[in-house]
Amino acid sequence: SNRAVVLSPANSKFLERNGYLKWQDGDLVGALDATKKALEINPNRINALMNLGGIYKELGNSEEALRSTLKCIEINPHNPDALVNLSSIYKELGSLDKALTAILQALALKPNNSVAVIILSSIHKALGNHDQALEVIVEYLELKPDDPDALINLGGIYKDLGNLDQALASTLKSLALKPDNP
């Protein structure tokens, strides 16, 4: 990817991919640089905008993450992945009503998105709607009973509801499926 960028430094697709790979490798500064260059060449590259939002979020700059994600949605309002990202950013910023609206829009476009279902459950939990959080995650686990992330989410809900035996059982099942999960 680095060689491709050297050979064709004005190719926004190569720069976007290079930024993504650097991001995945933990080089956030290099990822930010490559992704910004891709967007200078083509400001409407959806994936580069989504990546930029994720990079900024990981850098702790939620405002820039929000700006990039909103631009992505402005270009394509029916992008379920961008709406999931938007919901996650709004949740992090404490705008739970906006987070809920965005995640419901994402699920309307892509109903079986496991990340979106888990975020929806966590938003309900953050809003204090533990029964709704439980309902969402239990319904999802009926379809995918071995999703370790959903099971750990379920454990947290049971803990908040004071049902420690079920919280422990759910957490242990999650750890059995994904032993390296911190």
Side-chain angles (χ1 to χ4, degrees):
S1 179
N2 288 333
R3 282 189 57 210
V5 169
V6 168
L7 294 172
S8 187
N11 186 316
S12 66
K13 188 176 187 178
F14 291 171
L15 284 161
E16 171 194 311
R17 184 68 180 158
N18 187 260
Y20 175 78
L21 292 171
K22 287 179 178 184
W23 176 27
Q24 296 308 300
D25 196 39
D27 177 8
L28 297 179
V29 173
L32 186 62
D33 182 54
T35 305
K36 282 182 167 182
K37 285 178 184 172
L39 288 166
E40 286 172 11
I41 295 165
N42 183 352
N44 294 326
R45 281 199 72 81
I46 296 285
N47 288 339
L49 286 165
M50 285 183 49
N51 293 346
L52 186 63
I55 294 164
Y56 274 129
K57 187 174 180 214
E58 216 168 298
L59 286 168
N61 190 338
S62 297
E63 293 300 326
E64 286 298 324
L66 178 62
R67 189 177 346 275
S68 176
T69 305
L70 286 171
K71 181 166 183 183
C72 182
I73 292 169
E74 179 183 309
I75 295 167
N76 180 3
H78 303 293
N79 183 329
D81 296 328
L83 288 163
V84 167
N85 292 349
L86 180 63
S87 177
S88 178
I89 293 165
Y90 276 140
K91 183 175 182 268
E92 189 172 290
L93 290 170
S95 299
L96 297 176
D97 290 337
K98 288 181 179 180
L100 182 60
T101 298
I103 206 66
L104 291 173
Q105 290 173 338
L107 284 165
L109 294 168
K110 191 175 175 184
N112 293 326
N113 182 333
S114 62
V115 173
V117 170
I118 292 169
I119 291 172
L120 174 60
S121 178
S122 72
I123 292 168
H124 280 308
K125 184 178 169 196
L127 286 167
N129 303 331
H130 291 76
D131 290 337
Q132 285 179 293
L134 183 62
E135 181 182 326
V136 167
I137 208 70
V138 166
E139 185 177 307
Y140 172 75
L141 282 165
E142 288 173 3
L143 299 173
K144 295 189 178 182
D146 291 330
D147 184 321
D149 296 324
L151 286 163
I152 200 70
N153 184 283
L154 179 62
I157 295 166
Y158 279 137
K159 178 182 165 272
D160 289 349
L161 290 170
N163 190 335
L164 299 182
D165 290 337
Q166 284 187 304
L168 180 60
S170 179
T171 302
L172 289 174
K173 184 174 179 182
S174 175
L175 285 170
L177 294 167
K178 195 174 177 181
D180 294 335
N181 189 348

